[in-house]
Amino acid sequence: MSYESPTIRPPSEWRSGLLRVTRGCNWNRCRFCGIYPHLGQPDYSIRPLEEIFDDIRLLAEKRPDIETLFLGDADPLSAGTKTMLRVLDEVKKQFDPTRITSYARFSTLYKLGIVELGTLAKAGLSRIHMGLESGDEKILIFQRKGQNAKMVRTVASWLKECDIELSVYVLLGLGGQERWQKHARETALLLNDIQPDYIRIRRLFVYPAAPDGSPPCPLSREISDGLFTEQSPEGTILELEMLLDLLEPMNAFFTCDHSNNYLNISGQLDTDKTEMLQEVRTFLSLPEKQRNQRYQRTGSGI
Ligand code: SF4
């Protein structure tokens, strides 16, 4: 019996017990993404329940003190509510968790509907991490994200009603140099509408060919054809400044919690927004040489 770990997890789940319900991504079409192929998981599948149960028991043997659990890979709820309920039930037989978190896609939750989400919440699902990426419809269509602002608003309101925390990722650079202001503005407006619990900032990483020979992410093609111009490091900071400036001081934790970010600011938007914005502006006022050193030091990665 060997334990199978999710391909990736959010940085905030470093202490959690990690459970793999599905493998890879059931969508796998976002133009900017190549994460699962890049990490050796190009295909999607739902793991057999017995395998998942074995992993839950193994985890319980090795780490009986686990307080929080995280479910992967990209969209475990795509396994269906019945499967998820059995997984959550087995988790609760073995642990007494204070939180059970999952990655998910807005479109999957939209298909499930509020009743099934309520059932999952009652069974213990308490936080969901999803890629919002952008609030701009044109960017979402171009990047083939498979979601739109209306769907995001609906799902976010269901999650609030079901008492499931919402943690969203925003991807700086997703509009390229062509559309960065629209990207920052529309994303801020959508976030102001949905008021998530967490806003996690990431920076676009254009996936190269994977070690197993899988091709680079489709966006590379648009870049080489001149249809998309990658955001500059300084432009990325200007996006961050505009986004933060337009966000309402809501009860949400804003964080750049990935090493790929040039600035690692974080804080509560309702109490720390001014300070965070000041941090960005102080950086922008540094001499060019110092700013460039930061950009070079940070580099690019996943
Ligand atoms: S961004 Fe998320 S939904 Fe899109 S292909 Fe990548 S893992 Fe799948």
Side-chain angles (χ1 to χ4, degrees):
M1 203 159 65
S2 68
Y3 165 79
E4 195 173 315
S5 181
T7 309
I8 50 165
R9 57 150 177 84
S12 54
E13 300 291 336
W14 64 277
R15 275 193 202 166
S16 299
L18 306 177
L19 273 181
R20 194 178 208 192
V21 176
T22 50
R23 299 186 184 99
C25 174
N26 55 325
W27 176 250
N28 246 344
R29 264 175 267 177
C30 298
R31 207 181 276 279
F32 59 88
C33 180
I35 190 157
Y36 288 99
H38 195 83
L39 297 175
Q41 187 59 62
D43 302 318
Y44 166 77
S45 62
I46 301 170
R47 292 186 68 208
L49 265 177
E50 273 318 313
E51 279 185 20
I52 304 170
F53 288 174
D54 285 346
D55 282 354
I56 295 171
R57 289 172 204 134
L58 268 178
L59 261 185
E61 268 169 46
K62 287 190 183 156
R63 296 182 54 197
D65 55 340
I66 280 175
E67 289 178 3
T68 58
L69 285 111
F70 168 74
L71 313 179
D73 277 342
D75 190 14
L77 279 73
S78 62
T81 301
K82 272 189 192 159
T83 299
M84 282 294 294
L85 288 174
R86 293 197 59 191
V87 170
L88 293 168
D89 183 52
E90 188 61 30
V91 163
K92 290 193 356 199
K93 276 187 199 154
Q94 303 290 339
F95 303 96
D96 184 19
T98 55
R99 186 181 79 217
I100 305 177
T101 307
S102 177
Y103 274 147
R105 300 192 68 243
F106 277 100
S107 59
T108 301
L109 270 51
Y110 192 69
K111 283 181 210 141
L112 287 183
I114 188 169
V115 174
E116 293 192 34
L117 285 175
T119 309
L120 291 168
K122 280 195 194 102
L125 186 64
S126 52
R127 182 183 295 173
I128 288 191
H129 289 274
M130 285 192 283
L132 177 101
E133 326 298 7
S134 178
D136 181 64
E137 300 283 359
K138 281 198 175 159
I139 293 175
L140 291 172
I141 291 169
F142 172 75
Q143 297 287 359
R144 303 196 300 230
K145 183 64 196 173
Q147 69 198 36
N148 56 43
K150 184 172 167 251
M151 184 191 290
V152 167
R153 281 192 191 93
T154 304
V155 169
S157 71
W158 290 344
L159 292 175
K160 272 200 199 311
E161 228 172 292
C162 296
D163 215 11
I164 296 177
E165 286 182 315
L166 173 58
S167 167
V168 295
Y169 296 99
V170 168
L171 204 45
L172 298 178
L174 200 62
Q177 292 192 23
E178 293 83 359
R179 222 175 153 79
W180 73 269
Q181 284 152 313
K182 266 274 186 199
H183 175 42
R185 190 172 304 117
E186 295 301 317
T187 303
L189 294 179
L190 184 55
L191 289 167
N192 288 341
D193 270 2
I194 67 171
Q195 308 248 327
D197 299 281
Y198 299 87
I199 300 170
R200 300 181 189 277
I201 304 298
R202 300 288 181 268
R203 182 163 67 87
L204 179 67
F205 173 76
V206 181
Y207 287 85
D212 71 352
S214 304
C217 71
L219 188 60
S220 316
R221 183 69 185 268
E222 275 69 33
I223 294 171
S224 46
D225 288 352
L227 299 173
F228 182 94
T229 314
E230 278 187 85
Q231 183 56 287
S232 64
E234 193 97 326
T236 308
I237 303 292
L238 293 172
E239 273 183 38
L240 178 64
E241 182 194 25
M242 185 185 273
L243 176 74
L244 201 43
D245 192 27
L246 292 172
L247 284 173
E248 285 170 6
M250 65 185 98
N251 178 18
F253 190 70
F254 182 96
T255 177
C256 305
D257 60 342
H258 193 281
S259 56
N260 198 8
N261 290 111
Y262 294 121
L263 296 180
N264 293 316
I265 56 169
S266 61
Q268 272 293 128
L269 278 171
D270 47 3
T271 52
D272 310 325
K273 174 181 157 169
T274 311
E275 208 176 303
M276 289 193 282
L277 203 46
Q278 191 51 48
E279 224 178 296
V280 178
R281 288 178 176 154
T282 302
F283 175 79
L284 284 169
S285 68
L286 290 174
E288 190 181 353
K289 192 175 166 198
Q290 262 176 275
R291 300 199 308 276
N292 284 337
Q293 278 170 348
R294 171 74 63 91
Y295 302 143
Q296 278 158 16
R297 246 197 347 260
T298 306
S300 207
I302 48 167

